[in-house]
Amino acid sequence: MNEKISNRLRHFFHVVSNIRPIVWIGLYLCVTPLFALIYWWLPDSQFRIPDGAGTDYGSWLYYSTVTITTLGFGDYTPAHGWAQAVTAIEVMCGLIFLGLFLNAVGSMKSEIDVASEVERRKRVYDAEQKERLLKNIPRLLHNINIFLAYCYAVTTPLAQRKETDTTYNPDFSFNDLADLFEPSQLSIDNSRLPAVERLLSSASNTSLLLDSVQNNVDLRQWPEVLEDCFSFVANYQMFSATDALTRRYRLDDTPGHISDRMRHDEESLSALVAGWHGDLNFKKEPLLQPVGELYSFIKENAGLALELETKLTSIALENKPS
């Protein structure tokens, strides 16, 4: 029973503390003329009134003000029961409202202090996350640029590839993938591995790095960057789980080794890609399905990589020391 009463009292004071101070000061000001009206209605014989003093509403408003503020000048005094009772009630109301007003002010100050502390901690936390992201941006941009360079190599016919200008063209066609099994011929690639193999390796490294950054940096300050990172990683995971080209290179135990049969298959597949003029569902030519999946993957993830490159560069420039 005592616990129940205690909980109710605790709830009551919690509700009262959440009432704004302006409410209590408003009540404090409103009851003063209300009690003045009651004093005006009471017979004058209920009070001791100084000689020559007025008994109009203005005089009782003065008495009510003196009473609720507990000044008690003593010129007007309650002499009998009703006047004494009403005066006592007004004094108690004044003390209660004033106490509740001060309590509400203290509660509001506590809320302001808590909000200020929360905001301060948020600023410190955001600064820490920004510093973490800035430390990772150079590595992210490096991996993204390598990924885009291999996207350029795979989506550009061998005769048109350049070492100096490796700008990825998002408007490439499906037929442009015909030389995906040829070496990339990029300055960053000294191997003779197929460009598609180097692309898949770069996509894997970029996906792992983006996933690591998501786990170690709170990117909620940069929702667009977070969304692009998540989409890139999710797209790669789905692609790598279903793509036949990815599984093919994983099954090859000797890195960079291409058997004669694989080379023949690649040449045949390249010829099919170069000569394809139909739609991209490949119902009539299922052998092209893996290249079609690669085509869709590059279209989507290279676009995400370009967006990430722009956004990360902008963040780095905005926070560059002056």
Side-chain angles (χ1 to χ4, degrees):
M1 185 66 179
N2 291 336
E3 184 178 354
K4 188 175 181 180
I5 295 174
S6 176
N7 289 336
R8 287 185 176 180
L9 286 173
R10 189 180 297 110
H11 176 71
F12 170 77
F13 284 113
H14 175 73
V15 172
V16 168
S17 297
N18 286 329
I19 298 176
R20 300 295 88 181
I22 189 67
V23 174
W24 297 119
I25 200 66
L27 288 173
Y28 188 84
L29 295 174
C30 287
V31 297
T32 302
L34 179 62
F35 275 97
L37 189 62
I38 296 174
Y39 298 136
W40 189 35
W41 285 343
L42 290 174
D44 293 344
S45 59
Q46 290 283 316
F47 298 90
R48 294 190 185 92
I49 302 173
D51 293 338
T55 57
D56 58 353
Y57 179 77
S59 300
W60 293 118
L61 182 61
Y62 156 76
Y63 173 72
S64 179
T65 303
V66 170
T67 300
I68 200 168
T69 56
T70 66
L71 292 175
F73 290 142
D75 44 359
Y76 288 80
T77 56
H80 300 287
W82 281 109
Q84 292 171 342
V86 174
T87 300
I89 292 172
E90 183 177 15
V91 170
M92 293 301 297
C93 287
L95 292 174
I96 291 172
F97 289 155
L98 185 59
L100 292 173
F101 167 75
L102 295 175
N103 178 70
V105 169
S107 178
M108 179 179 287
K109 183 180 182 303
S110 297
E111 289 180 9
I112 294 172
D113 291 342
V114 169
S116 299
E117 179 63 17
V118 170
E119 181 63 27
R120 186 192 68 81
R121 292 186 179 184
K122 184 180 183 301
R123 287 196 301 269
V124 171
Y125 179 78
D126 288 348
E128 291 176 351
Q129 300 309 307
K130 181 180 290 186
E131 184 177 357
R132 288 185 183 181
L133 178 61
L134 291 173
K135 287 181 179 179
N136 282 280
I137 283 180
R139 194 155 55 108
L140 284 168
L141 290 176
H142 176 70
N143 277 263
I144 288 172
N145 287 330
I146 291 177
F147 171 72
L148 288 172
Y150 283 118
C151 286
Y152 159 81
V154 171
T155 60
T156 305
L158 188 61
Q160 300 176 21
R161 293 180 195 170
K162 302 175 182 178
E163 291 188 6
T164 54
D165 184 10
T166 59
T167 303
Y168 164 72
N169 175 24
D171 298 322
F172 71 93
S173 66
F174 178 76
N175 304 104
D176 291 331
L177 296 172
D179 294 328
L180 76 165
F181 296 112
E182 297 295 332
S184 68
Q185 293 189 350
L186 300 177
S187 59
I188 59 174
D189 184 12
N190 296 321
S191 71
R192 298 293 299 171
L193 298 176
V196 64
E197 182 175 355
R198 301 296 289 158
L199 170 64
L200 295 174
S201 176
S202 173
S204 175
N205 292 336
T206 304
S207 176
L208 288 172
L209 179 58
L210 289 175
D211 190 45
S212 174
V213 170
Q214 287 184 89
N215 291 330
N216 292 287
V217 181
D218 188 346
L219 295 174
R220 286 178 294 179
Q221 292 183 67
W222 310 274
E224 293 181 351
V225 173
L226 176 60
E227 183 179 355
D228 288 346
C229 288
F230 179 83
S231 297
F232 189 103
V233 174
N235 288 345
Y236 175 75
Q237 289 175 345
M238 289 189 292
F239 171 73
S240 62
T242 60
D243 181 60
L245 291 173
T246 305
R247 296 197 302 272
R248 177 178 187 170
Y249 287 112
R250 283 177 180 169
L251 292 173
D252 184 17
D253 295 330
T254 307
H257 173 70
I258 302 293
S259 67
D260 292 339
R261 182 174 180 180
M262 288 177 66
R263 171 59 68 184
H264 180 269
D265 291 343
E266 289 173 356
E267 291 174 352
S268 301
L269 189 56
S270 295
L272 284 174
V273 173
W276 185 256
H277 297 294
D279 54 32
L280 300 182
N281 58 20
F282 308 113
K283 292 181 179 179
K284 297 180 180 179
E285 192 56 75
L287 289 175
L288 288 175
Q289 186 64 38
V291 184
E293 293 173 357
L294 179 66
Y295 172 86
S296 299
F297 170 75
I298 294 176
K299 282 283 186 181
E300 188 159 1
N301 268 31
L304 290 170
L306 287 172
E307 291 181 8
L308 278 170
E309 182 182 34
T310 301
K311 293 168 185 175
L312 292 173
T313 301
S314 177
I315 293 171
L317 291 176
E318 288 174 2
N319 294 276
K320 185 178 180 180
S322 55

